[in-house]
Amino acid sequence: MKVLIIGYVWPEPRSSAAGSRMIELIELFRAQDWAVTFASAAALSEHRADLAALDVPEVPITLNCDSFDTFVSALQPDLVLFDRFFSEEQFAWRVERACPQALRILETSDLHSLRDARQRLLKAAQQACSSEAEKHQQGAVSATAVELFNVMAMDDMAQREIAAIYRSDLTLLISDFEQQLLREQFGVPAALLHHCTLMLIPTATVQPSFAERAHFLSIGNFRHAPNWDAVLWLKQQLWPLIRQRLPQAQLHVYGSYTPPKATALQNPKQGFHVLGWADDAHAVMVQARVCLAPLRFGAGIKGKLADAMACGTPNVTTPIGSEGMAGELPWGGAVVKDAQTFADAAVALHEDQDLWLQAQANGARILAERFDRQQSGQALVERLLALRANLPAERRANFVGGMLRHHMLKSTQYMAQWIAAKNRGAPGTSPEPQDKSKL
């Protein structure tokens, strides 16, 4: 099978969980002896994966340009995977026109509209506070599925994202919570969704003991809004509470694309160290005694917590952080909602060896039972092959998707063609509109 992946960005497995997941998918496809090509309109990034080592050609493409039509027509892929719904909006209509029989698969990474809804709920709660101190005390968003639906249903991003899900032959979801939300609240048919836990989580071969480890650790891509909010909450509220109990405690904060506003938080006297990029996340993770992930909003699966479990490092997080990972299994650390409980749990794990060892064992069990790479990969391959074998019937059953492709993508198609004509200098075109978010 010939596979084309259209990435919103080039995969960076050392920077983000989304990058790790993309490499895992590529490796799975290559293991089937499928030919894979990766294309993206993004600028080449400093930390991108070496796709050539996986025998995967890199093809730069251009938004709103007919050159993509020439490229995809010549390639004639059997399967096209869109990395995030933005890519589906931009390129799916072109793929359908040039390769109508190609499977169109949407990889969500996480539900962007869910993350956005939770971020807006957090901001609303903070805006209602009477002081800065009260804002810092706000815990993780705890909205129910019904409450989330009420926030998301009339929102532009949710409508765009779920429309992309309907237009696709299959959508891959990494979180079973998100699959349930789409099915039960938005009414998306189960036939359009596939829960796939594939992630690149190699277990660290050497795991130092409790006594051999020291300090707390926090890690995450600073360009990801939930991670930046977590660092701010650590600095303003959580770390002072921990240091009251453990005056000599040290926190090492790592993250790719560290901005000046993050390095400005550095304060060695308070034990707060902003160390920036970690070339090997596992190398620093196995040295820490406890991982802190105070995520107040977000979506998907948290790669940092999977990495912590793989390194035998217990963690403290929120229900947002643990969502979709453990099922009914006990957590590999502690899951808490508010600042004081978070600090208490962090201190307890740092100081109590028996508690620490039990949390470590819980984390290993979660990875073994919930993130079985072989089982998850085989299930996805079988689903894709079955879908391809029965594609005409599957598409007939998805009437809503066909309707959306017929109507909604026409506006995207015509706008893209107008921009392409403008860029070629065709007569009768006017300046490009300012709002490009819907193109």
Side-chain angles (χ1 to χ4, degrees):
M1 189 182 297
K2 190 181 295 185
V3 178
L4 170 63
I5 300 175
I6 302 178
Y8 179 63
V9 295
W10 300 97
E12 296 187 10
R14 295 185 298 164
S15 299
S16 70
S20 295
R21 178 169 169 83
M22 180 53 67
I23 294 300
E24 187 81 339
L25 289 169
I26 290 173
E27 289 183 345
L28 174 67
F29 296 158
R30 293 294 298 123
Q32 314 311 308
D33 202 26
W34 296 353
V36 179
T37 299
F38 196 99
S40 179
L44 294 176
S45 55
E46 177 184 358
H47 303 304
R48 75 184 189 279
D50 182 5
L51 295 181
L54 299 174
D55 196 23
V56 174
E58 293 181 349
V59 180
I61 53 178
T62 305
L63 298 174
N64 303 310
C65 182
D66 294 342
S67 61
F68 177 84
D69 301 355
T70 303
F71 157 68
V72 77
S73 295
L75 185 65
Q76 283 297 309
D78 303 297
L79 184 156
V80 179
L81 186 145
F82 303 97
D83 180 21
R84 301 171 175 84
F85 77 92
F86 315 113
S87 299
E88 191 277 343
E89 287 181 328
Q90 284 281 355
F91 294 103
W93 65 270
R94 293 182 182 274
V95 169
E96 182 173 12
R97 188 171 63 178
C99 315
Q101 299 308 313
L103 279 176
R104 295 186 296 274
I105 308 300
L106 176 61
E107 158 59 11
T108 57
S109 297
D110 59 29
L111 279 182
H112 290 58
S113 52
L114 172 60
R115 185 199 327 144
D116 178 70
R118 284 173 166 160
Q119 184 174 13
R120 287 186 284 118
L121 286 171
L122 176 62
K123 287 183 178 179
Q126 291 176 325
Q127 288 170 355
C129 294
S130 57
S131 66
E132 285 298 313
E134 189 179 350
K135 289 182 180 179
H136 299 334
Q137 293 170 5
Q138 282 294 321
V141 172
S142 58
T144 66
V146 173
E147 291 168 338
L148 289 168
F149 171 78
N150 290 335
V151 174
M152 297 168 66
M154 301 305 293
D155 180 65
D156 176 74
M157 182 177 290
Q159 292 175 356
R160 290 170 57 195
E161 188 165 31
I162 294 171
I165 290 171
Y166 270 102
R167 289 191 298 262
S168 301
D169 295 314
L170 190 69
T171 291
L172 309 185
L173 297 159
I174 197 169
S175 166
D176 52 10
F177 173 82
E178 294 177 4
Q179 183 183 38
Q180 184 177 3
L181 179 71
L182 289 172
R183 290 180 60 181
E184 297 183 1
Q185 302 302 321
F186 289 91
V188 178
L192 297 180
L193 307 174
H194 183 78
H195 180 222
C196 178
T197 59
L198 273 177
M199 285 184 66
L200 194 62
I201 317 170
T203 300
T205 54
V206 177
Q207 297 186 0
S209 67
F210 176 86
E212 293 171 323
R213 298 179 185 235
H215 65 259
F216 295 88
L217 173 142
S218 178
I219 191 167
N221 187 331
F222 281 103
R223 288 180 176 175
H224 193 52
N227 292 337
W228 172 237
D229 176 77
V231 171
L232 287 178
W233 198 27
L234 272 170
K235 175 68 174 181
Q236 297 162 345
Q237 185 71 21
L238 304 176
W239 188 242
L241 293 174
I242 294 171
R243 284 275 288 194
Q244 286 176 10
R245 303 267 298 278
L246 300 174
Q248 302 305 314
Q250 304 293 309
L251 173 62
H252 295 176
V253 180
Y254 292 92
S256 54
Y257 302 105
T258 310
K261 64 181 180 181
T263 54
L265 300 179
Q266 167 93 356
N267 192 324
K269 290 184 178 180
Q270 296 175 355
F272 198 95
H273 306 275
V274 181
L275 302 177
W277 166 259
D279 188 60
D280 185 339
H282 280 204
V284 297
M285 185 75 77
V286 296
Q287 299 301 319
R289 186 173 290 180
V290 180
C291 173
L292 303 180
L295 296 158
R296 292 192 283 188
F297 67 94
I301 294 296
K302 312 306 177 294
K304 61 179 69 62
L305 298 180
D307 285 336
M309 295 176 195
C311 292
T313 307
N315 69 82
V316 185
T317 190
T318 66
I320 300 292
S322 65
E323 184 177 272
M325 295 191 73
E328 300 300 319
L329 298 177
W331 186 248
V335 179
V336 298
K337 294 181 179 179
D338 62 85
Q340 187 60 60
T341 309
F342 190 99
D344 292 343
V347 171
L349 276 173
H350 191 273
E351 297 297 293
D352 187 332
Q353 182 172 353
D354 291 339
L355 183 66
W356 188 89
L357 289 170
Q358 184 58 60
Q360 185 183 64
N362 291 345
R365 184 182 175 192
I366 289 171
L367 290 187
E369 296 188 22
R370 297 273 296 176
F371 292 88
D372 186 310
R373 179 177 184 177
Q374 183 174 357
Q375 181 181 23
S376 183
Q378 186 61 35
L380 176 58
V381 170
E382 291 176 359
R383 184 77 185 269
L384 293 175
L385 293 175
L387 181 59
R388 180 166 173 75
N390 198 36
L391 189 56
E394 296 282 355
R395 285 181 174 170
R396 280 196 302 271
N398 181 18
F399 175 79
V400 173
M403 179 177 63
L404 289 174
R405 288 198 305 275
H406 178 74
H407 291 288
M408 294 184 67
L409 272 185
K410 290 300 182 183
S411 60
T412 304
Q413 173 182 342
Y414 295 149
M415 179 60 77
Q417 289 174 332
W418 179 86
I419 293 173
K422 171 185 174 294
N423 291 337
R424 291 194 301 268
T429 56
S430 55
E432 186 174 334
Q434 294 299 308
D435 183 6
K436 304 178 185 177
S437 64
K438 301 178 183 179
L439 301 185

